[in-house]
Every structure is written in C-alpha cells, then in structure tokens.
DNA sequence: AAAAACACTTGACGATAATCAAGAAAAACA
DNA sequence: TGTTTTTCTTGATTATCGTCAAGTGTTTTT
C-alpha cells in the first residue's frame, strides 16, 4: 500500500468523524489534494508568507512557533496527527503568517489550496459544512488551550502532556517544551527533577 | 425607534460585514430570534447548564468567567458589542458549560436556539456559510487572545486594553481586570500607579 | 576519533509577583 | 445622611521564577 493511499484512508476516517460525505463528494474533495514530503525540521508554513494551503496531517507531529518583538522564540503549540493544520489566521485572511509550522519528524502530508477550497465551498454545501464543523472544533481546541494556561501551572501542564503524549515528549527538545509551557528551560529542568 | 428595531439594524450591519444575505434569507434568520432583557450582573450563560442559545449582543459588554478546582474565580474574557456570544464549546457540543457569561450593564439581547440554528443550517446554505465565517472569526479571536498571553506582559496587555476600550475600562471592577490579565488585584493596582 | 556544537543540569543571585495585613476611598444601603 | 459593605491602595514579607554562569553529557561534524 502506497504512502498516499494510507494518508487517504486516514483522511476519510477523519472526515467521517464529522459528517457523512458520500463517495462522489469525497472524490471531489480528494481530487483537489496534493501530496508533499517534508523532512524533519522543515517548515510547512513560514512566517511572513501567506499560508495559501490547508494541510492534512495523517502521521507525525508539528510545532507552531513565532518570534517576539525582542527576537526570542516562542513555541505556541504542538499538533499531533491526524488533523488539518495551517496558520488558520493567515489562511482565512490570506495575510502573511505570524507563525511558523515546523515538522518534528519526516512525513508526507496532503494539502489543498485556498482557492480550490473556496471553490469547493461554493459548489458543495456538504464540504462547506465540513468547513464549519472543523472551524468549530478548531475554536474549541483553541479555547481549551487558553483555559489550560489560565487554570493550570506549568508543572500541571507538563505532567498532563507526559500522560497524554508520552511517546512524543521523548522526542521534543526540552527548550521547545519549556517555551510551550511558558517557562525557561532551566525551570522545566527543575520541574522534571522535582517530579521524577 | 424601539429597542428591538435598533438591535435588528445592528445585527443586519454586523452580518453584512461577513456576507451579503438577501432580504428573504435575512428574514428567515430573524424570524427565529427572540429578544431578552438582562440586568446588570445577570448571567446570560450559567456554569453547569447547557448553553442552548446563541446570543447577539447589539450593545453593552459582558464578562466570561469560571471557577478553578480550588474555588477561585478566573475572568477569561470580555466581549464588547456587536457580536455573537455564547459558551461556544457548550453550544457546539451541547454539553454543560464551564464558563459563566455575565452582563456588565443592562442590555437587551437577541437570541436563537441551538435547534433552530441547526435547522437554518440545513435549509439555508447561506446561513451555514455565515456560521462558517463566524466560527472562523471566533477562532482567529481566540488565537489572538492566546498569543497576547504568550507575547505580552500583564502591563502591556493592560495598557492595550486602556487604549482600545477606554470607555469600558472605567466600568470594569479592578479585580475582574486583574484576573483577566493573570495577576492579583494588588499587582494591577501597582501597575496602575506605575503607569499613571 | 577528535573537535565542535548543542542540550541539559545545577547553583547562586536578583527581579518580580503573591501573600498577608492594615487602612483609605468609594459605593450601596438603610 | 450616616452606616455598612465593598473596592482599592500601600507596605512588609515570602516564594517563585528568570538570569547568569559553570560544568556535564550528548550528538553532529570533519
């Protein structure tokens, strides 16, 4: 089974979590996707450029990061397959992206252009519904992320990550994790030694 | 001009920012709205109950808050008219809400039930498109909120609020603002005295 | 394999904010 | 209007985290 076929199966499964797309509609959707290969550390979306594609991550995981005015790097999110990713703000507004999205391992990724997606929205109400449902889910995830910041200490959030994604934590450099948790690498190192 | 008429004009204007709804479609939308009066400090959405209505705020402003496991209250957001508000997570999933939404002044508010909105989505693709666009905007706002946390100090965020919404800041009790900024009331008081 | 670059840990110190506590100012109420 | 309650300010103390710096361990490069 080829890479792209595996990805398509995962995409079909993912979509079916949200709504029942009949075969012709799914084919219409699929016909507009391309497959791309990304290497470890390569950027899927780059700061300063318009994110003109929506990506479907069927495997692997990515890191969202950006630079503060003072030049320091901030990891704002990790995303684990499967799911759609891009710089949504850039994609929706078609304005230059603030964030970078970086692959944390080699992976093949499906993607569709903004133009093609808008055409699909115009012609296939079911696909527009999928867009609405995915946007709603993206909002829910974002709100959850925000609440975890407001409610939980860096230590709580670290322990949660360890429990939820143990296989990934091992592969994420501590400095990225620290930034994601909103502390310095030194502080995270101390959290680790405390909670061993 | 009656209160409800003013609200409808504001709603029509607001919707037209996102897409052109022709008169019959707008009438279909409007036919499903009710108008409610809320007093200062009254709750529009209550923790523990399912948010089964979407509200359109044509005037005034509201506070989002919830309680941490330790019992302390956290103000997670303020929202200023015009716009649609509800506990989106609760509304979308039709599960009990974590957050409370509290009116900060007396106001009349339009609202539509979850059931009616879903019916409109099923029957009017343009209204479903409006739903998609509003969800996208809600996501963008949420991401912006998250980034302001990651990038800016409480002092920066306070000064930004003062610049952006000076007329409201005056009316928001300091303790709510402090919690929103993620600091204690004492610290915000000191920020204020520093930056006068 | 040696050298260099990078990632992580640990300690000392200083900055910042939380906590505790008291009092002043403002708002709500009788 | 005077009283009570709530909100805000200010000071002293404590705890936490960031910064700086040194040193260890690990990976990458030549």
């Amino acid at each position: 089974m080829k890479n792209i076929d595996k990805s398509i199966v995962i995409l079909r499964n993912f979509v079916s979590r949200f709504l029942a797309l009949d075969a012709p509609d799914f084919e219409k959707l699929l016909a507009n996707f391309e497959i791309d290969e990304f290497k470890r550390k390569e950027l899927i979306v780059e700061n300063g450029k318009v994110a003109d594609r929506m990506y479907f991550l069927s495997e692997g995981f990515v890191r969202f990061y950006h630079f503060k005015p003072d030049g320091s790097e901030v990891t704002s999110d990790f995303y684990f397959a499967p799911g759609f990713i891009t710089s949504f703000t850039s994609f929706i507004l078609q304005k230059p992206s603030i964030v970078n999205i970086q692959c944390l391992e080699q992976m093949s990724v499906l993607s569709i252009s903004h133009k093609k997606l808008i055409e699909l929205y115009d012609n296939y109400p079911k696909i527009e519904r999928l867009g609405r449902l995915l946007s709603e889910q993206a909002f829910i995830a974002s709100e959850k992320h925000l609440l975890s910041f407001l409610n939980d200490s860096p230590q709580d959030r670290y322990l949660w990550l360890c429990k939820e994604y143990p296989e990934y934590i091992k592969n994420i450099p501590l400095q990225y994790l620290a930034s994601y948790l909103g502390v310095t690498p030194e502080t995270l190192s101390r959290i680790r030694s405390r909670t061993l």
Side-chain angles (χ1 to χ4, degrees), chain A:
Chain A
M1 196 177 192
K2 281 189 295 188
N3 251 351
I4 186 165
D5 294 324
K6 278 190 213 164
S7 293
I8 289 171
V9 170
I10 296 170
L11 173 59
R12 194 194 313 262
N13 268 324
F14 184 80
V15 166
S16 73
R17 287 195 210 165
F18 295 95
L19 87 176
L21 266 193
D22 53 29
D25 276 359
F26 185 75
E27 287 307 317
K28 279 292 170 189
L29 179 66
L30 204 54
N32 288 283
F33 275 87
E34 292 174 9
I35 192 156
D36 297 302
E37 276 289 321
F38 288 94
K39 294 194 188 74
R40 194 172 124 83
K41 299 214 171 186
E42 209 174 336
L43 294 183
I44 296 183
V45 169
E46 198 178 337
N47 171 29
K49 297 184 180 172
V50 174
D52 62 346
R53 304 190 73 81
M54 173 75 78
Y55 300 87
F56 179 72
L57 204 67
S58 60
E59 51 168 358
F61 63 117
V62 296
R63 175 173 81 101
F64 290 66
Y65 70 96
H66 66 274
F67 296 95
K68 288 214 245 183
D70 69 9
S72 61
E73 185 184 301
V74 182
T75 295
S76 57
D77 209 357
F78 298 104
Y79 196 96
F80 306 102
F84 285 94
I85 57 160
T86 189
S87 166
F88 287 98
T89 299
S90 171
F91 184 81
I92 291 164
L93 303 176
Q94 288 290 289
K95 289 186 176 172
S97 175
I98 304 295
V99 303
N100 298 279
I101 305 180
Q102 182 190 47
C103 292
L104 290 180
E105 51 188 40
Q106 192 195 311
M107 56 181 80
S108 49
V109 173
L110 296 170
S111 74
I112 182 172
S113 73
H114 182 263
K115 185 162 173 287
K116 286 284 174 67
L117 184 60
I118 296 295
E119 283 173 23
L120 287 174
Y121 283 165
D122 282 338
N123 296 315
Y124 301 91
K126 280 228 162 188
I127 293 179
E128 177 142 40
R129 168 159 301 182
L130 179 62
R132 170 176 66 84
L133 295 169
L134 290 172
S135 299
E136 289 175 351
Q137 294 300 317
F139 173 84
I140 289 174
S142 177
E143 186 171 77
K144 200 171 160 187
H145 189 182
L146 184 62
L147 289 179
S148 82
F149 250 94
L150 294 173
N151 290 334
D152 304 325
S153 67
Q155 178 167 326
D156 291 340
R157 298 173 65 228
Y158 173 71
L159 293 173
W160 180 87
L161 261 185
C162 287
K163 214 182 75 181
E164 209 66 19
Y165 299 106
E167 67 285 24
Y168 295 117
I169 295 303
K170 289 198 292 273
N171 301 314
I172 298 177
L174 170 136
Q175 53 178 326
Y176 296 163
L177 269 181
S179 163
Y180 172 74
L181 298 173
V183 296
T184 59
E186 291 94 329
T187 299
L188 179 54
S189 178
R190 289 181 177 114
I191 287 174
R192 275 180 163 169
S193 63
R194 270 211 301 276
T195 57
L196 276 183

